[in-house]
Amino acid sequence: MTDGGTPDAVAAARQRPGQALLEVRELVKTFRRGTRTVEAIDRFSLTVNDGEFVAIVGPSGCGKSTFLHILGGFEPYDSGTMLLNGAAIKGPGPDRGMLFQEFALYPWRSVIGNVGWALEVQGKPRAERIAAAERYLKLVGLSAFRDAYPAELSGGMKQRVALARVLAFEPRILLMDEPFGALDAQTRELMQEELNTIWQETRNTVLFVTHDIDEAIYLADRVIVFTARPGRIKDEVNIALERPRRADVRKSAGYIAYRNRVWDSLRAEVLKAREEFQ
Amino acid sequence: MSAAAFYSRARRTALGLALPLAALVAWEISARLGDVPSYLIAPSVILASTWDMATTGELWQHTSNSLVRALGGYAIGAAAGITMGLLAGIARPVERFYDPIVSLTYPVPKIVVLPILIAWLGSGDASKIAVVTAAVFYPTFINSLYGAKGVNRIYVWSARNMGARPIAVFLKVILPASLPQVLTGLRVGLALAFIVTVAAEMQNSRNGLGFLVMTAEDSMRFDLMYAAIIAAGVIGFAGDRLLVTLRRRALAGQAIGKEGAHG
């Protein structure tokens, strides 16, 4: 795991590998469209263990992002329970670190000002938050850009800053909502490798939502396939590819077998989702 | 700056100045040849009169009277407009509370309520400051309202996710994110403050630049009228430049404020 000098030694120390960190039971979410009530998520249950990397794939509009927003405390839901480390989730909070597709960096703040933002509003002393921000900037390889502004960075760099910003306040779980969805295909693949390397070091618990099967298999320990709306678990695949995963794992027979398995599950749902749109 | 850049810039400046200078020269020549109406006094005469008024302190007296009214009303109107606008932008009930009254009164030219304000507050500075306040309120309110309403929802979500309390979300996210539009409102408001001040002084005042214009007209002293116009133009221009500089500083690093900062 991590040696003493890495940023997440603290986070790693509090981990209890193999034990349930996030427990979602029978979550139901509906919303109104005109006079109709639409079911977005139907009695969805999920357990994520401490230190586990779980990816959720599903057709667009299946409610997977909505699920993440509910976990983040931003969207209301109808019924069900959500526990993080045994305590009920109520409203937004820094025990869950959200990473959005749109980066959400503050354009009026420099890179270092963005990364230290959470510690600043939490009232940490200046020296401490600068030190933490610099540590995490180094982890994502952007120390040289500490004084740049977000407008001066490429999309991939912005998302790395956003990742450093989330890691800096040491949440118990990372909730990533299609974090690489706004990037071009090449940058996207490099970012997946980068995230894999960083995760190898920090071992955060991650719940990662994407529509990209390759991304899910390459990154995750477990892939969950969502059904078309209403979102339910269609399939669950443990990815037993060995870690650390190098880029060429994508060419291995094991990887391709997983890819076929997930795609077979997902295909029917994508077709169903498409019918609904037409 | 390299020599080439200097010359290219000088050329652009010269191009921009060509028309006003030519007009001034034509004006001066025709005024001296004497075949123009009496209100077209030669620019050299206007400059001389302006200089005289400036050295006796009379021009400064009127200018400072106008400045007190314009800036007094500007400060109050902008403070109220920005505060209420931002609050209305983040809280629906506040917006619903203000919307009907703002929509109804916005298109009313503010100067028409001056007689009412004079009846209420007297003909001193208070009524003029009040009418300027009203004029400045609207552009600052409306721009702040839409600035706050337009703040990316994800910015606010991120802030809440990072453990920010509502007051921190307001001060550290809503306020800076709305700043470009708030500054736009401040700029529009400043121009209105000067316009309404001079208009109010033309209607009812015993000093100020608007008063100077009216007395100059009564006594057919067109040179004094031009002096007042020049003074009003100079303070308006200086105020606007100051705001533009402030805006560039405040928005350093943001794409919108980046012209010139990086290239």
Side-chain angles (χ1 to χ4, degrees):
Chain A
M1 270 200 15
T2 54
D3 58 76
T6 56
D8 267 51
V10 186
R14 59 179 187 191
Q15 279 184 359
R16 301 167 302 152
Q19 297 213 40
L21 178 68
L22 175 73
E23 291 166 87
V24 178
R25 296 275 163 270
E26 303 271 307
L27 187 74
V28 176
K29 161 80 179 172
T30 59
F31 58 87
R32 301 192 68 78
R33 182 183 282 169
T35 53
R36 282 194 309 144
T37 302
V38 181
E39 275 197 307
I41 295 166
D42 178 27
R43 282 165 289 135
F44 180 76
S45 299
L46 170 73
T47 301
V48 178
N49 290 330
D50 215 350
E52 194 181 18
F53 196 127
V54 175
I56 296 178
V57 294
S60 29
C62 73
K64 56 192 193 296
S65 282
T66 307
F67 173 56
L68 221 55
H69 293 165
I70 292 171
L71 279 179
F74 301 114
E75 293 234 23
Y77 55 99
D78 296 76
S79 63
T81 53
M82 300 185 296
L83 303 176
L84 183 69
N85 220 5
I89 290 174
K90 284 195 212 94
D95 50 354
R96 286 145 287 152
M98 302 258 335
L99 202 62
F100 299 99
Q101 182 177 335
E102 305 94 325
F103 321 131
L105 296 177
Y106 298 140
W108 56 89
R109 287 248 173 167
S110 65
V111 164
I112 190 95
N114 265 287
V115 178
W117 201 90
L119 301 177
E120 187 179 319
V121 295
Q122 288 168 21
K124 297 272 164 39
R126 190 182 150 79
E128 186 184 322
R129 60 177 201 253
I130 299 242
E134 278 175 344
R135 226 162 42 225
Y136 284 100
L137 264 187
K138 190 172 169 219
L139 181 71
V140 299
L142 286 176
S143 296
F145 293 87
R146 72 188 293 280
D147 296 317
Y149 281 88
E152 300 168 285
L153 306 179
S154 69
M157 288 157 88
K158 281 183 195 158
Q159 198 56 293
R160 274 147 75 192
V161 174
L163 178 61
R165 180 168 78 168
V166 167
L167 291 172
F169 60 90
E170 293 175 350
R172 289 297 274 124
I173 185 168
L174 295 179
L175 306 175
M176 303 193 177
D177 184 14
E178 304 231 15
F180 308 143
L183 306 175
D184 64 80
Q186 290 103 29
T187 309
R188 191 178 181 142
E189 206 158 312
L190 292 178
M191 284 297 295
Q192 291 160 6
E193 287 165 27
E194 183 110 5
L195 178 62
N196 222 339
T197 312
I198 291 168
W199 184 84
Q200 201 63 43
E201 200 167 322
T202 63
R203 296 296 181 121
N204 290 92
T205 312
V206 181
L207 189 56
F208 189 106
V209 161
T210 179
H211 63 262
D212 181 338
I213 298 177
D214 287 296
E215 187 167 274
I217 296 171
Y218 176 63
L219 291 170
D221 298 318
R222 183 151 56 104
V223 174
I224 299 202
V225 181
F226 246 55
T227 59
R229 199 156 55 215
R232 238 180 285 121
I233 291 190
K234 159 99 183 231
D235 197 3
E236 198 171 331
V237 184
N238 285 308
I239 309 295
L241 299 169
E242 80 177 45
R243 290 190 186 269
R245 286 177 196 162
R246 294 209 315 264
D248 56 12
V249 75
R250 298 176 202 250
K251 296 173 198 148
S252 69
Y255 178 91
I256 290 163
Y258 284 127
R259 195 184 190 289
N260 291 337
R261 158 88 189 270
V262 174
W263 178 231
D264 287 343
S265 295
L266 191 55
R267 193 182 143 79
E269 300 306 319
V270 174
L271 291 174
K272 222 188 287 171
R274 217 170 58 164
E275 261 165 40
E276 199 184 308
F277 279 117
Q278 279 164 354
Chain B
M1 196 189 303
S2 73
F6 175 79
Y7 284 121
S8 117
R9 190 170 170 173
R11 211 175 308 134
R12 258 177 299 160
T13 311
L15 194 62
L17 285 176
L19 185 61
L21 276 179
L24 269 180
V25 170
W27 183 356
E28 180 77 34
I29 291 171
S30 46
R32 290 204 179 203
L33 293 178
D35 201 20
V36 288
S38 60
Y39 53 81
L40 274 182
I41 306 155
S44 56
V45 178
I46 294 171
L47 268 183
S49 303
T50 308
W51 178 252
D52 283 347
M53 278 195 85
T55 48
T56 60
E58 196 186 350
L59 187 60
W60 170 243
Q61 190 51 53
H62 288 297
T63 305
S64 66
N65 289 329
S66 296
L67 272 177
V68 166
R69 291 164 190 149
L71 296 182
Y74 184 62
I76 303 169
I82 293 170
T83 314
M84 292 183 195
L86 289 177
L87 286 177
I90 54 170
R92 266 298 172 78
V94 181
E95 189 191 354
R96 293 211 179 95
F97 176 76
Y98 282 118
D99 188 55
I101 187 80
V102 169
S103 303
L104 269 174
T105 54
Y106 176 49
V108 176
K110 303 307 165 289
I111 194 71
V112 302
V113 298
L114 185 63
I116 303 168
L117 288 169
I118 289 172
W120 181 26
L121 298 167
S123 60
D125 281 351
S127 55
K128 293 174 192 70
I129 289 176
V131 75
V132 173
T133 300
V136 170
F137 174 81
Y138 290 88
T140 49
F141 175 86
I142 289 168
N143 277 285
S144 304
L145 167 68
Y146 286 104
K149 275 179 86 133
V151 173
N152 193 339
R153 182 182 70 163
I154 298 288
Y155 287 169
V156 176
W157 279 16
S158 293
R160 309 258 341 253
N161 179 240
M162 290 190 270
R165 291 167 185 284
I167 195 85
V169 174
F170 182 77
L171 292 176
K172 286 171 176 278
V173 178
I174 305 283
L175 195 59
S178 324
L179 194 61
Q181 215 165 335
V182 170
L183 288 169
T184 302
L186 279 176
R187 197 174 168 194
V188 176
L190 186 67
L192 274 178
F194 288 129
I195 292 168
V196 172
T197 299
V198 172
E201 288 168 348
M202 289 173 79
Q203 207 172 30
N204 176 301
S205 186
R206 266 174 251 112
N207 51 36
L209 294 172
F211 164 80
L212 190 57
V213 170
M214 292 314 281
T215 44
E217 189 194 5
D218 288 344
S219 55
M220 299 289 277
R221 285 288 306 277
F222 290 108
D223 55 333
L224 297 187
M225 190 186 284
Y226 284 110
I229 292 170
I230 289 172
V234 167
I235 58 172
F237 180 75
D240 191 54
R241 284 295 101 184
L242 191 69
L243 271 187
V244 170
T245 310
L246 276 177
R247 179 191 179 88
R248 195 170 297 145
R249 293 233 169 148
L251 302 185
Q254 290 194 51
I256 193 162
K258 253 171 65 169
E259 327 94 22
H262 293 280

